Amino acid sequence: MEKVPSFDETAENIGAELKAPLIKQEPLQVRVKAVLKKREYGPKYTQNNFITGVRAMNEFCLKSSDLEQLRKIRRRSPHEDTESFTVYLRSDVEAKSLEVWGSPEALAREKKLRKEAEIEYRERLFRNQKILREYRDFLGNTKPRSRTTSVFFKGPGKVVMVAICINGLNCFFKFLAWIYTGSASMFSEAIHSLSDTCNQGLLALGISKSVQTPDPTHPYGFSNMRYIVSLISGVGIFMMGAGLSWYHGVMGLLNPQPIESLLWAYCILAGSLVSEGATLLVAVNELRRSARAKGMSFYKYVMESRDPSTNVILLEDTAAVLGVIIAATCMGLTSLTGNPLYDSLGSLGVGTLLGVVSAFLIYTNTEALLGRSIQPEQVQRLTELLENDPSVRAIHDVKATDLGLGKVRFKAEVDFDGRVVTRSYLEKQDFDQLLQEIQEVKTPEELETFMLKHGENIIDTLGAEVDRLERELKKRNPEVRHVDLEIL
């Protein structure tokens, strides 16, 4: 018979089972990834930093002769006109400054003295510039301005100067005709020519200002001055030309006055029609030439106001020709019927024509000053150049802005392919020497030194790729003067 356990034995077996673990657990093994600790970048890490010769002389009060004895390192230049430039190790420059000045305290005193001398020099320079301005204001500025003068012998400058001469003569003779006849239409035409002459003088000032070279205050130049003066010209046409013409026309309707013989007025209007038509042809030919150079139609070139100065001349002369026709028609109706109301209606018609022209000029030049993109076809060509480059993975946020005078600023965010950039760097390396350097790495400190060395060189290679793309963009489209490629 099978033995039945007693009550005490059963209790002991149950207690032993409760004490034993339910599942046999294996020891947990955790692999911890080695992470380089964040360190403070003290002298140990900055001793290999580079410094340019100008900074070395300014910050450490050294002379160029002191730098001749230091180690020189050639680096890639960010400027297009130079392939490379010389830099020095900051540790060498610091050691040389201590050798020259003896102690950090002496170097600090010399820096303080030079700072005070620089402040005094700037104060003297400011006083001398002020005296020079007063001298020029008193005796006149005799500085030659050959570049500014040359712009008035070709292109938009030539058109503006021709328009000033012709409109000035027309204004003089129209005022004589108005004084002789008392015609409201002739008065409107005289005011029209006067406003055109003043506006074209303003355009000449804008052209003269727009060719000035960029300075630190205006790094992108003064090319937008043409749009600014064209905008002011549009406002002037509206206020002076349209406003006075409407006023004189309304007063003629309210208080009609008899008109004297209009024979001389007709003769002056005929001469004005011929001269204004000649100026109009000059402006049309200039705009057609510029439109062909841009690869645009004449209508689109005018509507987008790509050449603001010539555009103003075109519209003003078109309005002048139409204004002469309106004035002559209304004056002829007055001569035939003897009713001076037709002459007043002619004044209102000329004022309305000037108002339309001024509204168009204000609108187009405001659009240009707000920042306008170049042609979509040009943007597409520049974009395709970047997208087809092997080192570029993708581009984003492309902006190509017309700065005026055929200058374009191109901006894009570029996602570079790190593998291609790294391979471009490795192609210039000796693989046997590189493999030997890798085999010599035994400690984390040696690995860090190895990675810092080649990481800096890869970043420099990436900068060279950016410079190469900028040169190719400018070569593809010569109008691109400023290129900003942001690395993603």
Side-chain angles (χ1 to χ4, degrees):
M1 294 179 63
E2 185 177 353
K3 184 179 179 181
V4 178
S6 64
F7 177 79
D8 295 336
E9 292 176 351
T10 303
E12 291 176 0
N13 292 335
I14 293 174
E17 291 178 358
L18 291 175
K19 292 180 181 180
L22 297 178
I23 300 176
K24 187 176 181 181
Q25 298 179 353
E26 297 292 337
L28 183 62
Q29 297 180 356
V30 180
R31 297 184 64 182
V32 180
K33 184 179 179 181
V35 180
L36 186 65
K37 296 180 180 180
K38 184 177 180 180
R39 302 180 181 180
E40 297 294 333
Y41 289 91
K44 177 182 177 181
Y45 293 93
T46 59
Q47 62 182 354
N48 292 327
N49 285 0
F50 298 133
I51 185 173
T52 61
V54 175
R55 286 188 58 191
M57 289 187 288
N58 291 337
E59 296 182 11
F60 295 93
C61 303
L62 296 177
K63 301 177 181 178
S64 58
S65 58
D66 298 330
L67 302 178
E68 294 177 356
Q69 306 171 4
L70 305 181
R71 289 177 289 180
K72 300 178 179 61
I73 301 156
R74 303 295 292 178
R75 301 292 294 174
R76 178 185 60 85
S77 174
H79 306 289
E80 296 180 357
D81 53 348
T82 54
E83 295 182 357
S84 60
F85 66 102
T86 303
V87 294
Y88 305 89
L89 285 174
R90 189 182 185 90
S91 56
D92 292 350
V93 174
E94 291 177 350
K96 186 64 178 179
S97 66
L98 292 178
E99 177 185 343
V100 172
W101 297 104
S103 65
E105 292 76 13
L107 177 60
R109 288 195 298 269
E110 180 64 22
K111 284 184 179 180
K112 184 178 179 181
L113 292 175
R114 293 195 179 189
K115 187 66 175 179
E116 294 174 352
E118 181 182 359
I119 294 174
E120 184 180 357
Y121 167 76
R122 290 184 178 180
E123 291 177 352
R124 290 200 306 268
L125 181 63
F126 176 78
R127 289 195 298 268
N128 292 337
Q129 289 176 344
K130 183 178 179 181
I131 295 173
L132 182 60
R133 284 196 300 269
E134 293 175 353
Y135 172 79
R136 288 175 176 174
D137 293 338
F138 181 71
L139 296 179
N141 189 358
T142 58
K143 181 181 178 180
R145 302 185 65 183
S146 58
R147 182 184 178 189
T148 303
T149 306
S150 63
V151 299
F152 294 109
F153 293 99
K154 59 182 180 179
K158 178 181 177 181
V159 177
V160 170
M161 295 306 296
V162 170
I164 289 176
C165 296
I166 291 178
N167 282 310
L169 291 174
N170 288 337
C171 175
F172 175 74
F173 287 113
K174 286 179 181 179
F175 268 114
L176 289 180
W178 168 68
I179 294 172
Y180 179 72
T181 62
S183 169
S185 296
M186 183 56 68
F187 175 79
S188 297
E189 276 301 300
I191 292 298
H192 186 177
S193 296
L194 177 61
S195 65
D196 286 351
T197 305
C198 295
N199 289 330
Q200 286 150 12
L202 187 62
L203 292 177
L205 178 62
I207 292 175
S208 174
K209 186 72 175 177
S210 65
V211 297
Q212 291 186 4
T213 55
D215 55 28
T217 308
H218 303 86
Y220 290 105
F222 300 85
S223 56
N224 277 338
M225 278 299 299
R226 296 196 181 187
Y227 294 108
I228 293 173
V229 297
S230 299
L231 176 63
I232 298 173
S233 177
V235 176
I237 292 173
F238 183 81
M239 299 296 295
M240 184 176 177
L244 287 178
S245 297
W246 283 332
Y247 172 78
H248 205 71
V250 171
M251 294 302 295
L253 291 175
L254 296 177
N255 300 301
Q257 299 291 333
I259 298 178
E260 301 295 333
S261 176
L262 298 177
L263 177 61
W264 288 107
Y266 290 138
C267 295
I268 292 174
L269 286 178
S272 177
L273 181 63
V274 174
S275 60
E276 297 284 2
T279 310
L280 178 61
L281 289 178
V282 173
V284 169
N285 291 332
E286 176 63 25
L287 286 173
R288 283 180 176 173
R289 185 189 63 79
S290 301
R292 283 196 302 268
K294 296 281 186 179
M296 301 170 60
S297 65
F298 177 80
Y299 175 78
K300 189 174 183 180
Y301 190 81
V302 172
M303 294 301 293
E304 294 186 0
S305 189
R306 295 289 175 175
D307 187 351
S309 301
T310 310
N311 211 30
V312 171
I313 301 299
L314 172 71
L315 295 175
E316 286 183 346
D317 288 339
T318 302
V321 171
L322 295 177
V324 168
I325 296 174
I326 293 173
T329 302
C330 293
M331 289 168 62
L333 291 175
T334 300
S335 298
L336 293 176
T337 62
N339 188 356
L341 294 179
Y342 290 109
D343 186 61
S344 300
L345 291 176
S347 180
L348 292 175
V350 173
T352 303
L353 181 64
L354 293 176
V356 173
V357 170
S358 64
F360 179 79
L361 290 176
I362 292 172
Y363 172 76
T364 55
N365 287 284
T366 302
E367 287 290 314
L369 289 172
L370 288 175
R372 179 177 52 198
S373 176
I374 62 176
Q375 294 297 310
E377 297 80 9
Q378 296 177 336
V379 178
Q380 182 65 25
R381 288 198 297 267
L382 297 175
T383 303
E384 289 176 354
L385 174 64
L386 291 178
E387 290 177 338
N388 295 332
D389 192 273
S391 63
V392 176
R393 183 183 290 117
I395 61 173
H396 309 277
D397 194 23
V398 177
K399 294 184 177 67
T401 307
D402 186 2
L403 299 178
L405 292 182
K407 298 179 182 178
V408 175
R409 179 183 179 185
F410 182 85
K411 177 260 179 188
E413 295 183 357
V414 183
D415 184 7
F416 282 91
D417 191 337
R419 289 175 172 268
V420 176
V421 176
T422 305
R423 185 176 295 278
S424 176
Y425 167 70
L426 293 176
E427 288 175 353
K428 303 174 184 178
Q429 304 302 313
D430 185 352
F431 268 70
D432 294 334
Q433 181 181 357
L434 190 62
L435 182 61
Q436 182 179 357
E437 291 182 11
I438 295 174
Q439 293 174 350
E440 292 176 355
V441 174
K442 303 298 182 182
T443 63
E445 287 75 12
E446 294 177 349
L447 176 61
E448 180 184 4
T449 303
F450 175 83
M451 294 299 297
L452 291 176
K453 172 187 174 182
H454 292 282
E456 182 181 8
N457 294 337
I458 291 175
I459 294 298
D460 194 62
T461 303
L462 177 60
E465 290 293 318
V466 173
D467 293 342
R468 177 181 62 82
L469 290 176
E470 290 180 352
R471 288 193 298 269
E472 291 183 0
L473 286 172
K474 293 179 180 179
K475 184 178 180 180
R476 175 69 62 88
N477 191 342
E479 292 184 349
V480 177
R481 302 294 180 86
H482 309 282
V483 181
D484 300 325
L485 298 182
E486 299 181 5
I487 302 174
L488 292 180

